[in-house]
Amino acid sequence: MAGADDTPVGQDRLETEFLEVVRGAGASVGALYLLAPEEDVLRLALMFGAPLDFVEPWARVALATPVPVADAVREDRLVWVGSQEDMARLYPRTAVALPYHFALAAVPVGADRAQGALLLLWPGTHSPRITPRRRDNILSGCRRLARLLEEDDAGRPVGPPDRPRLLSAGTVRAGRSQSALAAEDFAERLPGGCCALDLEGRLTFVTSGAAELLGRSAAELLGTRPWHSLPWLDDPVYEDRYRAAIVSREPVSYTVHRPPGRWLDFRLYPDASGISVRIEPAGTGPRPAPVRGEWTGRAAKARAGQLYQLMHLAAALTETVGVRDVVDLIADQVMPAFDAKGVILSALEEGRLRIVGHRGYSAAAIERLEGVSLDTSLTPAGRVLAEATPLFYSSPQEMEREYPGLPRTTDKQAWAYLPLGISGRPVGCCTLSYDRPHEFTAEERAVLTSLAGLIAQALDRARLYDAKHQIAHGLQQALLPHTLPAVPGLRVAARYLPATRGMEIGGDFYDLIRLSDSTAAAVIGDVQGHNVAAAALMGQVRTAIHAHATAGVPPDQVLARTNRLLTDLDPGLFTSCLYVHLDLARRCAGIASAGHPSPLLREPDGRTRPLDVPPGLLLGVEPDADYQVFDTLLPAGAVLALYTDGLVETPGVDPDEATAGLARHLAGAPDGDLERLVDAVIRGVRPTRQRTDDIALFLLRTVFGEDGGDGEDGED
């Protein structure tokens, strides 16, 4: 069933409820983000109170991005930014792109897990603190939105739309009432001139006095943006004043020079529906100099929004880690900013351009374009690298004129070839492409040229990182067990999940050592750090524990001897470790800990509790440290859960509460196959795939009376 505008009824209810939540919170601007299916990305779905292009840098937000809406979902909390100073301190990248006075709240929306986030903005006059009552109102509104997001009218979960929808404050009246005509007469009688702009910056009403002062007829002005239709207002500073009024909801005034020698005072009064503008001739007295000099028409100036977006992209590029991050940033933010439909990022290798990432191209097209020669007569990419100058082709005909006979490998209709170089050294080429002919304006060329230098720096740094990461990751994978041995009376399952930010490697490890037909040792540990040194030390610790365990020494001595070895090596890194000696014939275990989180024991009836294992000192701290053994019974069907702190540690959450939460998830997870159980526990504790630390989880189930473990692979 659909409404009059073919909007699904479920979507209509969602939009109505969204507007009610924004109004109920007293916010001037609101935005609703929804998680994209199968992606760790928030996509803008609904917007109110500001133009869509204001939030263009954040139309798609990866959950790992350091911005308020991503933090709210990732950390499952209300994020409050009370002032511009707080924004600069907490989110410098966002502060660069929105340098205005406002307060902000970002709140996760969802029941059991976040399905999206609500973003609210208040004028700069708002208190820098959020009151408990307002907080409760916002959270209550988010719960109502979450219920609507659970399913649409057909019973399907609601996902983000293909394009965000801008909602207005009310419906547009079809006719002109008598009061509307009276209001127009009133405005005409006021001295000077009046006009109105909608939230997109377009003129919706112009009095005859305003038209006279602006030097254009009302017919020429209506529906246009002033900085487009009036050359002397074509300066990013004046557009920025409009943006400031929209975001801050505070009146703005300034004086403008209208050539050849006239000065006008502008006063902007914003509200939820747009901006009312009063224009008056400036009084006598000294005049300020024009902000950028008189307009000459020789070159187009960059828009204020584009300048802020360039600064935002520059800040974002400094935070990219690997080549994949650089490609994703270009595809998710640079392409939409310039209406491009495809991108190819190539790196210079052995005299050829090797494609390191792309979007908007088929696999067959990429195969044909791979390994392009640097011969300047064969390809524009070779020319831009040789001359270190960007090339812009607005149509296939333009390309054909410079490169006659160049084979068409794709259906693209326009291209921007950007050379990537550092200190005169070519690094690669970034090609933006369009599905239709595209005329590149002077401001677009200038911004893209500036952006190319930033992309070059990011790509060079990312390739160096990826090379180091490949070495470290290979080392780590070689040191982790590929399979776990089969032990009679025991079944096991394990997962190792690297952090999603940073090197994606670390020192977390686990192992199962078969000691005899009825005994085994289970080990889990965490070496400090996320680098090659941590991975190398992890291998040394695992080898030392294996050697001492197979020598038949008790659990406390296994840790004590490994500790002495590490203090002698003095690697500069500390290690936590939990060692479990399993006596399956006697159905018991002896556990020793070196500063590692205590294991959980799930009884056969489902009751789950942490074991009170004495913690002991971390390995590598004190050479003569002693370790104690904790003994416990292992009934048939019991599950022993060993884990690293990455599974439970969350900023601002008490460790004991986090451990209790893990115990609840383990107790509530469905019994049965151990592989499904380990996955269910991780999904329950870490519902998103964003991780700031490595995770290792090792489950052991006693199956006395059966012929033994199934030898399940311990790695995911």
Side-chain angles (χ1 to χ4, degrees), residues 465-543:
Y465 160 82
D466 281 348
K468 292 180 179 179
H469 171 264
Q470 186 175 4
I471 295 171
H473 187 69
L475 173 63
Q476 183 189 41
Q477 292 303 306
L479 294 173
L480 283 171
H482 296 288
T483 59
L484 296 173
V487 177
L490 190 70
R491 285 198 175 134
V492 299
R495 292 290 183 270
Y496 171 79
L497 303 175
T500 53
R501 287 184 64 83
M503 285 290 284
E504 294 188 7
I505 62 162
D508 289 17
F509 67 95
Y510 58 87
D511 205 354
L512 181 67
I513 307 166
R514 180 168 177 167
L515 302 177
S516 70
D517 288 343
S518 62
T519 60
V523 188
I524 194 165
D526 184 358
V527 179
Q528 175 189 13
H530 299 81
N531 51 31
V532 177
L537 182 59
M538 176 264 283
Q540 292 175 312
V541 173
R542 182 168 170 252
T543 301

Side-chain angles (χ1 to χ4, degrees), residues 170-230:
T171 57
V172 178
R173 294 179 175 85
R176 291 167 61 97
S177 66
Q178 188 65 32
S179 60
L181 293 173
E184 185 175 320
D185 290 340
F186 167 76
E188 284 288 349
R189 288 192 294 268
L190 291 174
C194 301
C195 59
L197 285 74
D198 62 16
L199 292 177
E200 298 287 341
R202 295 184 179 89
L203 286 160
T204 58
F205 174 75
V206 180
T207 65
S208 57
E212 181 182 352
L213 290 171
L214 296 176
R216 289 282 195 277
S217 68
E220 293 175 297
L221 293 170
L222 287 173
T224 70
R225 292 182 174 92
W227 43 90
H228 289 169
S229 53
L230 299 170

Side-chain angles (χ1 to χ4, degrees), residues 146-495:
R147 287 193 291 270
L148 291 175
L149 289 174
E150 287 296 326
E151 59 182 36
D152 63 9
D153 296 302
R156 297 165 299 192
V158 177
D162 294 334
R163 297 181 64 84
R165 183 172 170 85
L166 180 63
L167 305 181
S168 62
T171 57
V172 178
R173 294 179 175 85
R176 291 167 61 97
S177 66
Q178 188 65 32
S179 60
L181 293 173
E184 185 175 320
D185 290 340
F186 167 76
E188 284 288 349
R189 288 192 294 268
L190 291 174
C194 301
C195 59
L197 285 74
D198 62 16
L199 292 177
E200 298 287 341
R202 295 184 179 89
L203 286 160
T204 58
F205 174 75
V206 180
T207 65
S208 57
E212 181 182 352
L213 290 171
L214 296 176
R216 289 282 195 277
S217 68
E220 293 175 297
L221 293 170
L222 287 173
T224 70
R225 292 182 174 92
W227 43 90
H228 289 169
S229 53
L230 299 170
W232 44 275
L233 279 177
D234 185 18
D235 192 289
V237 170
Y238 302 134
E239 183 190 354
D240 184 56
R241 304 293 169 82
Y242 148 76
R243 293 168 63 91
I246 288 290
V247 175
S248 68
R249 289 293 197 267
E250 294 179 331
V252 173
S253 62
Y254 51 93
T255 301
V256 178
H257 179 227
R258 175 191 159 187
R262 196 166 190 182
W263 295 85
L264 302 175
D265 286 332
F266 284 75
R267 293 179 177 83
L268 280 59
Y269 302 94
D271 67 8
S273 62
I275 295 180
S276 300
V277 183
R278 285 280 288 126
I279 309 171
E280 293 181 303
T284 59
R287 300 285 186 265
V291 178
R292 293 281 301 273
E294 292 187 8
W295 183 83
T296 62
R298 288 193 297 266
K301 301 180 179 69
R303 299 262 60 83
Q306 289 176 314
L307 294 176
Y308 287 136
Q309 189 165 45
L310 177 60
M311 291 188 286
H312 168 79
L313 293 173
L317 283 167
T318 65
E319 298 174 4
T320 54
V321 179
V323 171
R324 185 182 64 184
D325 296 332
V326 178
V327 175
D328 288 344
L329 179 69
I330 296 172
D332 293 339
Q333 299 192 36
V334 176
M335 281 175 55
F338 296 94
D339 294 325
K341 300 303 179 184
V343 63
I344 294 178
L345 187 63
S346 304
L348 184 60
E349 292 182 7
E350 300 177 351
R352 288 186 175 273
L353 282 172
R354 303 294 179 186
I355 296 175
V356 297
H358 61 89
R359 289 279 184 91
Y361 287 85
S362 67
I366 292 299
E367 186 177 355
R368 292 192 296 269
L369 294 169
E370 173 62 29
V372 169
S373 168
L374 297 186
D375 190 332
T376 58
S377 63
L378 296 178
T379 171
R383 180 178 163 191
V384 298
L385 283 180
E387 300 177 2
T389 303
L391 292 176
F392 300 93
Y393 299 98
S394 60
S395 66
Q397 292 73 27
E398 277 193 25
M399 176 82 78
E400 177 68 21
R401 282 197 293 270
E402 290 202 17
Y403 289 90
L406 184 69
R408 293 292 305 277
T409 56
T410 69
D411 293 329
K412 302 299 183 185
Q413 300 292 304
W415 302 264
Y417 290 89
L418 308 175
L420 308 180
I422 300 174
S423 301
R425 172 174 61 89
V427 172
C429 179
C430 179
T431 305
L432 294 177
S433 58
Y434 297 76
D435 291 344
R436 297 178 180 178
H438 179 85
E439 191 69 36
F440 293 94
T441 65
E443 61 188 48
E444 277 185 316
R445 295 175 186 235
V447 172
L448 285 171
T449 301
S450 300
L451 196 59
L454 302 173
I455 294 174
Q457 295 282 351
L459 178 61
D460 194 50
R461 184 178 63 251
R463 295 187 69 204
L464 178 61
Y465 160 82
D466 281 348
K468 292 180 179 179
H469 171 264
Q470 186 175 4
I471 295 171
H473 187 69
L475 173 63
Q476 183 189 41
Q477 292 303 306
L479 294 173
L480 283 171
H482 296 288
T483 59
L484 296 173
V487 177
L490 190 70
R491 285 198 175 134
V492 299
R495 292 290 183 270

